[in-house]
Every structure is written in structure tokens, then in C-alpha cells.
Amino acid sequence: MNYTENIISKYRAHGFKLTPQRLAILKCLDGNTSHPTAEDIYIELKKTHPTVSFATVYNTLTSLKDMGALLEVTIDPDRKHFDPNTTPHHHIICTKCGSIGDIFVDYSQALTLPEDVGAEFFLTGNHVDFYGLCKRCRTKGQV
Amino acid sequence: MNYTENIISKYRAHGFKLTPQRLAILKCLDGNTSHPTAEDIYIELKKTHPTVSFATVYNTLTSLKDMGALLEVTIDPDRKHFDPNTTPHHHIICTKCGSIGDIFVDYSQALTLPEDVGAEFFLTGNHVDFYGLCKRCRTKGQV
DNA sequence: ATGATAAAATAGAATTATTCTAAGTTAATA
DNA sequence: TATTAACTTAGAATAATTCTATTTTATCAT
């Protein structure tokens, strides 16, 4: 069962409607590793659904988040990005072009807290951001 | 030389003015580990400088960032937080109360990229966010 | 000390991302 | 096919941040 099919059954299970707009948003997100913003999705949707509104995009994103089928990525200080891949992973960000990539490695073993903090804090997760220059930006020369 | 003295000399070196508002913002930031937002700082400033404006707060924060004396922390999806501690470190976030703590451990040795990614990406830094429940929220029971 | 001046502070308008609202539309079900 | 709760829509509202035009002031040369 792929992403879209999986979520369609989740929508049904929750008694939510399967509207053309929602299906189009799912199609846009399925396998999407570009970490789009709400606006990216809105622009993409406009192509097939010219009357779609931002409210629908945000509403759908919220419903997906609520069902655990979408993650909000807090990396860009200016806007929210979204990630349909909900398996735990980390991100690698190009500080020149802003592109975001995925890193599927579990670093939990190595990421131990200092004793004093670890004794007080109930740890539930971690997330690593890697910074640097992507291949394209490296090649194309300096800023 | 402490934080405030250090920055005062940087301001002088850059030919910037040392205004009472800026000095008050420096005083508010010096040794501040609470990761305040612009509004937090604005509210604090109001106590001693009732006519201060948001523009002054933002302008000063920008000048500090430009001088490398302040870091913008992108952890909260809804607003920017600021950190006067510019030595590399990581953060620990309570998912219940939103408080942000500092972790001064260098995990770089352990945070190696997968070969294929590492070969293409010029890595310059990393940042770890730890998630969980702080002591207070653990103790006070469930949400 | 004083005056000149570039830099900064201020109030409020503008911008941008996101959320809300009210009214019309529709998917799902009986 | 009718009913209805849920959805979509346009546009207003909100909130964080930035911009603008004007007034004020820290600094420096005198």
C-alpha cells in the first residue's frame, strides 16, 4: 500500500471526505522529497484546480498532520515546510540555495545527554540538521 | 571581557552608536539562556524604556546578528528565538511547555553522513535538537 | 562646550504567512 | 434522490516581522 492509498483509507477510517482537492494534494505530496511549503503546494494545485484556495491547502495539511501522515519541518525561519515521509530521519540543508535533503540514519546511540541533564529530562526524540553546500552550489562557485 | 563589554567594543569598531536602547538590549541578553523572542525582549525593555519601539528591538537584533554576536534559533514554528551564546551548541526542547535548554557537547565525530551524500555535500556544521519532557513538566503530570 | 551630521529611535503603515469566518457546495450515505 | 455533515471558497482577520518617513541623538571636530 503506497502513501496515497494508505492515507485514503485513513481518511475513510476517520469519516472524512475524499474531495478532488484533497486527492490532488495527496498526489502532490506522494513521494515528494522537496519539503514543499504551503505555497509550493498551492501553486502546484492551481494547475489542475484553478479555483482552489489557500484555506483548503492549510486545512488539508492540518488534517494530514493530525492523522500522523505529514510532518511539519521547522528549519526555515520564514515559513513552514512539509514532509510526507513520517519515518524518523534527519535533514541536510544547503546554506546557499536553501534546498533540504533527507538523511536516514539513526544517531540515537551516539546522541547521549550530559549526565546532569539526562537525569532530569525525559528524552523522547532527537533531530539533526546538517549544514553545508550541496553539490550544485559547490560547483557553481561562490555567492 | 564579558558579553556586553565585548559587543560594546564591536559596536565602536563598526562605527555604530551606543544608544541607551541598545545598551538595555545588551543588558537583557547578557547571560540570558532563556532563548527569548523579540517580543520577550520588547516587554523587558518597556520596563526601563517605555517608549521603545519594536523596530528598535528588531534593528538591534539584526545588527547583533550581523556582527556575529547573536544567533537566531529556528526551533519554534511560530516565532524566532534568539541566543546570545554563539559558541556552537545544541538544544533540548520540552514538548509540553516549550522551554529551550542548551547542550554543550560536540557530536560531530559521531554525526557522519552516508557515503553517497558525504561525497557530494560540503559539510560545514550540524545542530541537534533533543525533544522530551523537562523535569517540571514530568513532575506536574500529564497534559 | 557647541554645532554639524550621520546614525538611530520612533510611530505607524506595509508585508507576509497563516488562521478564521460565513456562505455556498458536495461527497457520502440512507 | 434527498439529506446532511463536512468541505471549499473568497476574503477578512491575525500575528510576526519589515519598511518608511520623521524626529531625535551620539559622536566627533572644532
Side-chain angles (χ1 to χ4, degrees):
Chain A
M1 186 155 71
N2 65 27
Y3 183 79
T4 302
E5 285 172 11
N6 179 36
I7 293 177
I8 286 176
S9 62
K10 280 190 179 179
Y11 266 113
R12 290 224 163 88
H14 284 256
F16 295 157
K17 288 187 182 176
L18 285 166
T19 65
Q21 294 86 344
R22 285 184 172 172
L23 291 171
I25 291 173
L26 288 186
K27 189 179 167 193
C28 173
L29 288 172
D30 195 348
N32 188 331
T33 61
S34 73
H35 306 83
T37 63
E39 190 184 15
D40 293 335
I41 295 165
Y42 175 74
I43 289 170
E44 186 63 25
L45 272 220
K46 276 274 179 184
K47 295 177 186 171
T48 51
H49 297 74
T51 67
V52 79
S53 74
F54 253 110
T56 296
V57 173
Y58 278 108
N59 286 342
T60 300
L61 294 176
T62 299
S63 69
L64 291 171
K65 279 193 290 178
D66 291 348
M67 296 189 307
L70 184 70
L71 294 178
E72 201 175 287
V73 177
T74 308
I75 280 181
D76 181 341
D78 294 326
R79 58 191 62 75
K80 293 171 183 169
H81 291 249
F82 297 91
D83 193 339
N85 193 328
T86 59
T87 61
H89 65 280
H90 307 284
H91 290 112
I92 183 163
I93 301 108
C94 176
T95 51
K96 191 173 168 192
C97 72
S99 65
I100 303 171
D102 295 312
I103 300 293
F104 293 93
V105 177
D106 181 359
Y107 299 105
S108 302
Q109 284 291 338
L111 296 176
T112 54
L113 292 173
E115 266 190 41
D116 55 337
V117 182
E120 297 204 336
F121 202 89
F122 179 70
L123 198 62
T124 57
N126 62 64
H127 182 264
V128 183
D129 290 323
F130 293 95
Y131 295 99
L133 289 177
C134 69
K135 190 182 185 183
R136 183 188 287 184
C137 287
R138 253 181 106 178
T139 311
K140 281 194 178 169
Q142 272 57 53
V143 185
Chain B
M1 186 156 72
N2 65 26
Y3 183 78
T4 302
E5 287 172 7
N6 179 35
I7 293 177
I8 287 176
S9 62
K10 279 190 180 180
Y11 266 113
R12 290 226 161 86
H14 285 256
F16 295 157
K17 287 186 181 177
L18 286 167
T19 65
Q21 294 86 343
R22 283 183 174 173
L23 291 171
I25 292 173
L26 288 186
K27 190 180 168 193
C28 173
L29 288 172
D30 195 349
N32 187 332
T33 61
S34 73
H35 306 82
T37 64
E39 190 184 15
D40 293 335
I41 295 165
Y42 175 74
I43 289 170
E44 186 63 26
L45 272 219
K46 275 273 178 186
K47 293 178 186 171
T48 51
H49 297 73
T51 67
V52 79
S53 74
F54 252 111
T56 296
V57 173
Y58 279 108
N59 286 341
T60 300
L61 294 176
T62 299
S63 70
L64 290 171
K65 280 193 290 177
D66 291 347
M67 295 189 309
L70 184 71
L71 295 178
E72 201 175 286
V73 177
T74 308
I75 281 182
D76 181 342
D78 294 325
R79 56 191 63 75
K80 293 171 183 169
H81 291 248
F82 297 92
D83 192 338
N85 192 329
T86 58
T87 61
H89 65 281
H90 307 285
H91 291 112
I92 184 163
I93 302 107
C94 176
T95 50
K96 189 172 169 196
C97 71
S99 65
I100 303 170
D102 295 311
I103 301 293
F104 292 93
V105 178
D106 182 358
Y107 298 104
S108 303
Q109 285 292 337
L111 296 176
T112 53
L113 292 173
E115 266 191 40
D116 55 337
V117 182
E120 296 203 338
F121 202 89
F122 179 70
L123 198 63
T124 58
N126 62 64
H127 182 265
V128 183
D129 289 324
F130 293 95
Y131 295 99
L133 289 177
C134 69
K135 190 182 186 183
R136 183 188 288 185
C137 287
R138 252 180 106 176
T139 311
K140 281 193 180 171
Q142 273 57 53
V143 185

